[in-house]
Amino acid sequence: MSTNNILEVENVSIAFGGLKAVNGASLTVERGTITSVIGPNGAGKTTLFNLVSGSLTADSGSIKLDGTSIEKLKPHQIAHLGLIRTFQGAKIIKRLSVLENIVLAGQNNPGEKLWRIMTPKVRRDYEEAAKEKAYGLLKEVGLESLSDSFAGILSGGQRKLLDLSRCLMADPKIMLLDEPFAGVNPALVERLLTVLNTIRAKHSLSFLLVEHDLETVMNISDKVVVMAQGQVIASGLPGSIYDNDVVVDAYLGSRKRNS
Amino acid sequence: MEAFLQPGFWVFVLVMAGIYCIFALGLQVQYGLGGMMNFGHVGMMALSAYSVAILVITYGWNLYLAAFAGVVVAAFGGALLGLTTIRLRGDYFAIVSIAFSEIVRYVIQNSDNFTGGTRGSLAIPSKTGAFTSYTKTFEPVLTKVQDLLSPILGDVVNRDFAMLLIVWIVAGLLLLFVSRTQMTSWARVLRATREDDHVPSALGKNVFMFRLQALIFGSVIAGIAGVFWSLQFSILAPEDFQTIVTFYAWMILIMGGATRVKGVPVGALFFGFLYAGTRFFEFPPFTWFSSSERAYLRVIIIGLVLIILMIKRPQGVFGKREEMVLEQ
Amino acid sequence: MADFIQLLFNGLVTGSILAIAAVGVSIVYGVLKLVNFAAGDFLTLGAFVTVFLSVDRHVPFVVAIFVAMLTIAAISVALEFTIWRGLRKSKAGTLSLFLVATGVSLIVRQLILIIFGVGSRKFNVDQVKTYQFLGAQIAQAQLVVLIFASATIIGLGLLIAKSPIGKGMRAFSDNPSLASVAGVNVDRIILATWLISGLLTGLAGVFQGMVQGSFESTMGWMLLLPIFAAVVLGTIGDAYGALLGGFVLGLVMELSTWSIFFGGVPSSYKPVVAFATLALVLLVKPEGLLGYKARSI
Ligand SMILES: Nc1ncnc2c1ncn2[C@@H]1O[C@H](COP(=O)(O)OP(=O)(O)O)[C@@H](O)[C@H]1O
Ligand SMILES: [Mg+2]
């Protein structure tokens, strides 16, 4: 396998009771690229994310992040290695301010050690730098005017923007975004896409996206992986997906015939 | 009714309020910050209070060293509870934590040769064989404080008054320390975990360790309350440490508004006066009951106050409604 | 061997009582997401009402038991209307529910003390008569309890599996929003839940009183820990799990006193054994015996 892969998922499976939610799925993400996983509801996309990010432990299979095996690690350990994920529907901490939501994501914050109560200067220095950086990230997505409000008051779209900048605060190597465009109006989809493209250029990041709908991610994806019933049924360049018979039958079929 | 007019009685009430203030402050760290519904808090106080008594009486330790050890034992109690239960869901955690404190009490009650069993700390076997009071070395301290204060404040100053001063000074320092810690990034992570486990752990926070720390921190504070409890009463009995004591601490926390450190002393004073005040219900319908029945009535009234509070003002007497709403 | 038979039998008796009480707690949790701390004290109340009617007022024992069960059920339903419904409407969180339930428990216990006094009480049942069985001594009261408790458990199992109310309860605890969409009458399910839970709790109290011989106001509280342990062990909210958990704990508690295990645990430590068992199981399987896997931290 090419060493240029930031993420390598090989043959992972997990079952809930009798249901094989992910069944021998494999995929790779090349450094600096955007890979999108698409598939109908219940295909196992979110479960695959949970496996990669450590929220669930796979029954079998291997997952490598930048060459390190992570399939046995806990979510926070995987995050430390540079994989940061979002959750479907943008989970924000409602009772922290918008700025604090972002500062929360900072890594190696000395103030998170209880004994650092004894070294106020170290804490304060980090905190000031972190707040400045967080504010900059908020500016990138245009939320700076809300920085001191409770995040609970944000609209759905604003939450997604906050979620994106929060991930960036952690300086990840790869970001996993679960349906970042779902339930978002077309204007905001445009905005999110622009933000994503800027981020990608500026922070030289790799992405793994999950989307329900192929059209949305068509233009920004370098590679598309199609899942159905827990299995990867096809992967390749976005354009090639339309020509794949299996995919057409399983997933795109009805729509293609209609259009 | 005379007690009502005696300053000595109210001084005692304030001492108790101070001890409860410290005790509830431990819960504030665990629940107000970390969202952990610890219903076994009294177990840590029992561990520390009994450790003090046993170490001094049976092993002849210096009282202050024993007090320190008592707090350490409470911290270990918190760690033990945490290591086994932090991964559990909120309601499981609450149930298992109650069980923890009840087990502590059962063990105290049934280990006659070690804790004095049902006969309390008076029956703890002493090193010398003769009866020993574990507070013996503390009484001179109180006398000294009294001697210092009597010339200034006059007659009010008695043993309890000296105790009141010490307890509230410690409570004040702890309040200050805790409100300090609440401004740190450590506290921010805990606040986040209070709403959701997944987000902080996906951002690289070891939620388990943060919760464990908060639990141990709160247990240390409960341990300090236990030391004062043991000093105030000089005699301990297993039934001092029933689950109802944890329940009182919750009442204090809720009255003050659970997420605010400053609410704790206010809630503690409020509770102290409510608890003591119900002693003076010497008018009908209360006079229809015998004095022992009135003790039961007092608990009923406290239970009712809490129920009404939870229905009418779940954010506490002094809390903000929005805090509860955003929590949903 | 005789020891073993004896303890096995004791375990079955304790287990059947725990199972009945645990189902009462578990269905309330399943349907209402409420951990009923007052269950222990209602259990005591059931025993006290029965003793009051049958011993003090000479009402026939069986009639007294039914009246006691109905009393507990009626109080449970009354509390639904006065307290729980309002709390649900105002979307009270887990903590509020916990604290209110603890408040109710305190009040009930004090009321028992005021109304029935402090002393310990006894039913008018033959405490002396015992049967010999494979070398074990089996008290008549125990045997009667085991027979009637088993019948109750079988009836209960059928009720939950087959009756429309039982099916509705299960559907509702699995997925409240789906169940109410699917036309399950939510209010009726909730009332039925309180009713059944109240009847079971009262009955468990009488059974425990019979087995114990004499009992006082703290009987239910002492039993509450093992009951909760049974509920959690069987996965909170799962009625069949609670039955299983009850029997498992009953057997573990009694067998732990067997002298071949390092001389056996002193019997006053039985509740500790119950919780130690629970802690062990939760360490291995944090979601209870019958639960699903899910990990967050
Ligand atoms: N924790 C879980 N327990 C049981 N079943 C689950 C769990 N998580 C997901 N599933 C099931 O696994 C399947 C895949 O779900 P998911 O990964 O969320 O699909 P997608 O994100 O592609 O819509 C679904 O049938 C879902 O019901
Ligand atoms: Mg999904």
Side-chain angles (χ1 to χ4, degrees):
Chain A
M1 222 175 260
S2 153
T3 48
N4 203 26
N5 290 334
I6 179 89
L7 184 71
E8 295 178 350
V9 177
E10 220 180 296
N11 212 6
V12 295
S13 303
I14 188 170
F16 299 112
L19 173 78
K20 291 197 166 152
V22 172
N23 190 1
S26 303
L27 62 83
T28 56
V29 179
E30 246 181 79
R31 216 175 287 277
T33 64
I34 298 186
T35 301
S36 296
V37 180
I38 61 158
N41 269 330
K45 306 181 298 290
T46 298
T47 307
L48 183 69
F49 260 35
N50 287 337
L51 290 170
V52 173
S53 66
S55 302
L56 291 170
T57 309
D59 297 337
S60 62
S62 79
I63 306 169
K64 284 206 171 96
L65 174 66
D66 216 0
T68 316
S69 289
I70 57 166
E71 65 269 0
K72 295 265 168 356
L73 299 186
K74 302 227 166 80
H76 68 95
Q77 295 169 317
I78 296 173
H80 280 309
L81 292 175
L83 182 147
I84 300 289
R85 70 168 292 184
T86 66
F87 292 89
Q88 202 168 338
K91 283 195 189 170
I92 44 119
I93 307 293
K94 296 187 211 118
R95 300 207 313 169
L96 291 183
S97 75
V98 171
L99 191 72
E100 277 188 305
N101 260 277
I102 298 185
V103 176
L104 179 69
Q107 302 294 302
N108 306 318
N109 179 345
E112 286 175 6
K113 300 205 162 52
L114 187 52
W115 67 269
R116 284 287 184 179
I117 183 99
M118 316 297 246
T119 60
K121 176 148 168 49
V122 178
R123 278 193 292 124
R124 238 178 285 132
D125 288 351
Y126 177 95
E127 187 81 3
E128 265 166 37
K131 282 199 168 141
E132 207 158 298
K133 179 176 170 192
Y135 196 78
L137 290 168
L138 273 182
K139 258 189 171 156
E140 272 182 48
V141 296
L143 287 178
E144 71 274 17
S145 61
L146 290 165
S147 68
D148 290 332
S149 318
F150 275 126
I153 65 156
L154 295 187
S155 70
Q158 288 170 327
R159 287 179 188 205
K160 299 216 163 186
L161 290 167
L162 172 59
D163 207 1
L164 272 183
S165 21
R166 191 170 60 186
C167 289
L168 287 173
M169 181 75 189
D171 289 323
K173 293 178 187 160
I174 178 169
M175 275 168 65
L176 270 60
L177 308 179
D178 197 349
E179 305 211 8
F181 309 110
V184 173
N185 64 45
L188 193 61
V189 170
E190 284 305 310
R191 171 100 181 278
L192 281 168
L193 284 172
T194 323
V195 169
L196 262 183
N197 271 322
T198 335
I199 289 173
R200 180 194 189 188
K202 197 168 152 195
H203 302 263
S204 65
L205 269 168
S206 317
F207 287 91
L208 184 63
L209 299 191
V210 154
E211 241 335 302
H212 178 61
D213 183 43
L214 175 59
E215 326 272 332
T216 332
V217 293
M218 188 77 185
N219 292 325
I220 56 158
S221 303
D222 300 298
K223 188 165 88 181
V224 174
V225 175
V226 187
M227 278 187 82
Q229 293 170 344
Q231 289 173 317
V232 172
I233 56 169
S235 68
L237 297 175
S240 72
I241 295 301
Y242 279 110
D243 305 329
N244 189 313
D245 289 344
V246 189
V247 181
V248 173
D249 284 350
Y251 177 46
L252 298 169
S254 55
R255 197 163 24 159
K256 240 198 157 179
R257 250 170 265 126
N258 294 344
S259 58
Chain B
M1 205 64 187
E2 304 102 67
F4 192 76
L5 302 170
Q6 273 171 11
F9 175 75
W10 295 108
V11 169
F12 173 78
V13 170
L14 286 174
V15 173
M16 288 314 292
I19 295 175
Y20 267 106
C21 172
I22 298 175
F23 183 55
L25 191 62
L27 265 193
Q28 207 286 327
V29 172
Q30 294 169 349
Y31 177 74
L33 208 52
M36 284 175 286
M37 287 186 277
N38 181 1
F39 272 72
H41 203 43
V42 70
M44 311 311 161
M45 183 150 90
L47 282 176
S48 136
Y50 263 93
S51 299
V52 172
I54 292 168
L55 287 173
V56 174
I57 297 175
T58 311
Y59 298 96
W61 282 34
N62 169 297
L63 176 67
Y64 300 97
L65 205 61
F68 180 76
V71 174
V72 172
V73 171
F76 272 103
L80 185 68
L81 175 65
L83 289 172
T84 46
T85 57
I86 284 181
R87 284 204 174 80
L88 303 179
R89 253 170 34 198
D91 31 20
Y92 281 34
F93 179 80
I95 292 174
V96 178
S97 60
I98 285 204
F100 179 85
S101 70
E102 281 290 288
I103 286 173
V104 168
R105 193 170 64 86
Y106 274 9
V107 171
I108 290 175
Q109 195 168 311
N110 290 296
S111 311
D112 296 24
N113 296 328
F114 185 50
T115 62
T118 43
R119 287 178 301 156
S121 64
L122 286 177
I124 293 176
S126 83
K127 198 174 118 192
T128 55
F131 169 78
T132 345
S133 156
Y134 63 87
T135 53
K136 207 169 51 195
T137 46
F138 185 63
E139 296 303 328
V141 177
L142 289 177
T143 319
K144 195 170 258 169
V145 176
Q146 281 180 56
D147 290 346
L148 277 173
L149 292 177
S150 317
I152 315 167
L153 297 169
D155 268 359
V156 225
V157 182
N158 54 7
R159 178 193 184 275
D160 279 354
F161 193 90
M163 194 69 186
L164 175 137
L165 215 66
I166 297 173
V167 168
W168 277 99
I169 287 174
V170 172
L173 290 174
L174 283 172
L175 281 164
L176 200 69
F177 183 70
V178 170
S179 44
R180 268 289 171 82
T181 58
Q182 306 224 333
M183 292 184 290
T184 63
S185 312
W186 179 78
R188 178 163 50 221
V189 175
L190 275 168
R191 279 197 203 98
T193 65
R194 193 171 184 226
E195 266 181 51
D196 185 298
D197 296 346
H198 298 276
V199 172
S201 43
L203 293 174
K205 317 300 171 194
N206 187 347
V207 175
F208 182 87
M209 285 312 286
F210 279 90
R211 293 222 171 109
L212 187 62
Q213 286 166 9
L215 202 60
I216 294 176
F217 189 4
S219 301
V220 164
I221 299 178
I224 296 174
V227 169
F228 282 112
W229 183 289
S230 73
L231 292 178
Q232 170 65 9
F233 289 107
S234 319
I235 297 174
L236 306 171
E239 58 281 8
D240 295 343
F241 302 104
Q242 295 189 33
T243 296
I244 193 168
V245 178
T246 305
F247 179 75
Y248 291 154
W250 274 106
M251 189 163 176
I252 290 168
L253 193 63
I254 297 297
M255 280 199 282
T259 55
R260 296 136 62 90
V261 182
K262 288 192 201 94
V264 175
V266 183
L269 290 171
F270 199 87
F271 167 76
F273 286 109
L274 177 70
Y275 191 76
T278 45
R279 279 173 192 245
F280 303 110
F281 287 161
E282 302 215 341
F283 45 85
F286 300 100
T287 38
W288 302 341
F289 295 92
S290 75
S291 66
S292 65
E293 285 171 346
R294 258 181 277 167
Y296 306 142
L297 269 184
R298 177 156 59 156
V299 178
I300 292 183
I301 290 169
I302 287 175
L304 278 176
V305 169
L306 192 85
I307 292 177
I308 293 168
L309 197 65
M310 290 323 294
I311 293 175
K312 299 285 179 204
R313 279 191 75 81
Q315 74 278 28
V317 179
F318 312 99
K320 290 201 208 85
R321 181 124 218 155
E322 303 84 73
E323 287 178 2
M324 280 323 249
V325 175
L326 273 173
E327 205 161 332
Q328 299 298 327
Chain C
M1 192 59 201
D3 278 357
F4 177 71
I5 300 283
Q6 180 78 57
L7 292 174
L8 191 68
F9 181 77
N10 291 352
L12 285 177
V13 174
T14 311
S16 64
I17 297 173
L18 284 182
I20 291 176
V23 172
V25 171
S26 202
I27 56 174
V28 166
Y29 183 86
V31 172
L32 296 147
K33 298 293 167 276
L34 168 77
V35 179
N36 192 4
F37 269 107
D41 298 293
F42 279 124
L43 199 128
T44 317
L45 186 61
F48 270 96
V49 171
T50 308
V51 100
F52 170 77
L53 291 174
S54 67
V55 178
D56 300 350
R57 292 283 177 273
H58 308 292
V59 175
F61 192 45
V62 176
V63 178
I65 294 175
F66 275 111
V67 176
M69 287 165 67
L70 286 171
T71 310
I72 307 301
I75 298 176
S76 303
V77 170
L79 287 176
E80 160 65 16
F81 286 116
T82 47
I83 297 180
W84 305 121
R85 183 158 293 187
L87 279 171
R88 269 202 311 282
K89 284 227 175 78
S90 62
K91 294 214 173 11
T94 318
L95 179 71
S96 306
L97 296 176
F98 252 94
L99 287 173
V100 172
T102 324
V104 171
S105 128
L106 284 180
I107 293 174
V108 172
R109 202 176 324 156
Q110 311 305 315
L111 284 177
I112 291 173
L113 284 166
I114 291 177
I115 299 170
F116 300 106
V118 221
S120 65
R121 301 295 315 258
K122 266 194 180 95
F123 294 124
N124 268 339
V125 292
D126 191 341
Q127 303 284 353
V128 191
K129 189 165 172 60
T130 54
Y131 302 97
Q132 296 286 331
F133 180 73
L134 294 176
Q137 300 263 340
I138 290 169
Q140 191 184 40
Q142 279 185 312
L143 197 62
V144 171
V145 166
L146 186 59
I147 292 168
F148 281 94
S150 308
T152 309
I153 288 168
I154 293 169
L156 197 59
L158 289 176
L159 180 85
I160 294 169
K162 297 272 155 66
S163 75
I165 282 290
K167 283 181 186 162
M169 262 159 48
R170 275 183 301 146
F172 194 76
S173 37
D174 285 347
N175 191 335
S177 45
L178 203 66
S180 36
V181 173
V184 175
N185 184 336
V186 177
D187 284 338
R188 253 187 55 200
I189 295 292
I190 289 174
L191 284 185
T193 303
W194 279 120
L195 198 74
I196 297 171
S197 154
L199 293 172
L200 292 175
T201 307
L203 186 64
V206 177
F207 284 163
Q208 178 66 18
M210 283 174 71
V211 170
Q212 242 177 262
S214 72
F215 55 88
E216 21 191 288
S217 64
T218 51
M219 176 179 83
W221 175 255
M222 304 292 274
L223 210 57
L224 190 64
L225 289 189
I227 293 172
F228 277 167
V231 170
V232 176
L233 199 59
T235 302
I236 194 163
D238 181 327
Y240 296 118
L243 285 176
L244 180 67
F247 277 105
V248 169
L249 275 179
L251 288 169
V252 170
M253 279 163 72
E254 298 297 337
L255 288 174
S256 70
T257 63
W258 196 9
S259 50
I260 66 161
F261 301 126
F262 312 105
V265 178
S267 62
S268 54
Y269 278 80
K270 276 190 241 168
V272 179
V273 170
F275 257 92
T277 313
L278 174 68
L280 276 179
V281 172
L282 288 179
L283 271 179
V284 185
K285 240 177 132 358
E287 57 291 331
L289 284 179
L290 304 179
Y292 255 130
K293 63 179 152 193
R295 178 175 111 201
S296 55
I297 55 170

